[in-house]
């Protein structure tokens, strides 16, 4: 599993989604202000599911109360860019403060993380 570098969004812009997705999955340090950018540039009919692993099934949000969480599975169709997140730390952070990501395929899949 590779750790993705988190880029910080700035007024003049930030380059992202320039890292090839790792077939064993990826992870990133999460403060609750990060979003995952996924670009599926596969040339044929190759939709990819991106799974963000929930680390708990229930957590308490100070504003919303008790919430139930499951793994977040997002379909990224061929030729599409998706921005996924942000991710509540109480639901998605592992013991090291990281979000865990897996992919149904990685051919022509680029990823990046931006802190907003």
């Amino acid at each position: 599993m590779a750790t993705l570098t988190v880029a910080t969004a700035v007024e003049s812009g930030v380059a992202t989604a320039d890292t090839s997705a790792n077939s064993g999955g990826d992870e990133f340090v999460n403060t609750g202000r990060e979003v995952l950018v996924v670009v599926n540039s596969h040339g044929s009919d190759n939709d990819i599911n991106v799974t963000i692993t929930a680390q708990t099934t229930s957590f308490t949000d100070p504003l919303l109360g008790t919430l139930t969480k499951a793994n977040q599975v997002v379909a990224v169709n061929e030729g599409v860019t998706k921005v996924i997140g942000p991710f509540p730390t109480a639901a998605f952070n592992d013991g090291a403060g990281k979000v865990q990501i897996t992919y149904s395929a990685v051919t022509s899949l680029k990823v990046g993380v931006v802190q907003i």
Side-chain angles (χ1 to χ4, degrees), residues 69-89:
K69 276 296 184 193
N71 290 350
Q72 183 68 25
V73 181
V74 179
V76 182
N77 297 15
E78 142 210 8
V80 170
T81 298
K82 285 206 175 174
V83 177
I84 307 167
F87 306 97
T89 59

Side-chain angles (χ1 to χ4, degrees), residues 36-102:
L36 177 66
V37 181
V38 181
V39 179
N40 181 357
S41 57
H42 200 276
S44 62
D45 188 22
N46 188 26
D47 298 341
I48 295 173
N49 286 330
V50 177
T51 302
I52 296 87
T53 304
Q55 300 296 323
T56 184
T57 57
S58 178
F59 73 100
T60 302
D61 181 276
L63 298 175
L64 303 174
T66 301
L67 300 173
T68 301
K69 276 296 184 193
N71 290 350
Q72 183 68 25
V73 181
V74 179
V76 182
N77 297 15
E78 142 210 8
V80 170
T81 298
K82 285 206 175 174
V83 177
I84 307 167
F87 306 97
T89 59
F92 290 100
N93 281 16
D94 65 10
K98 296 180 180 180
V99 169
Q100 304 294 317
I101 313 154
T102 56

Side-chain angles (χ1 to χ4, degrees), residues 21-44:
N22 185 326
S23 62
D26 291 307
E27 63 185 8
F28 64 88
V29 175
N30 181 46
T31 66
R33 296 180 21 216
E34 289 73 20
V35 293
L36 177 66
V37 181
V38 181
V39 179
N40 181 357
S41 57
H42 200 276
S44 62

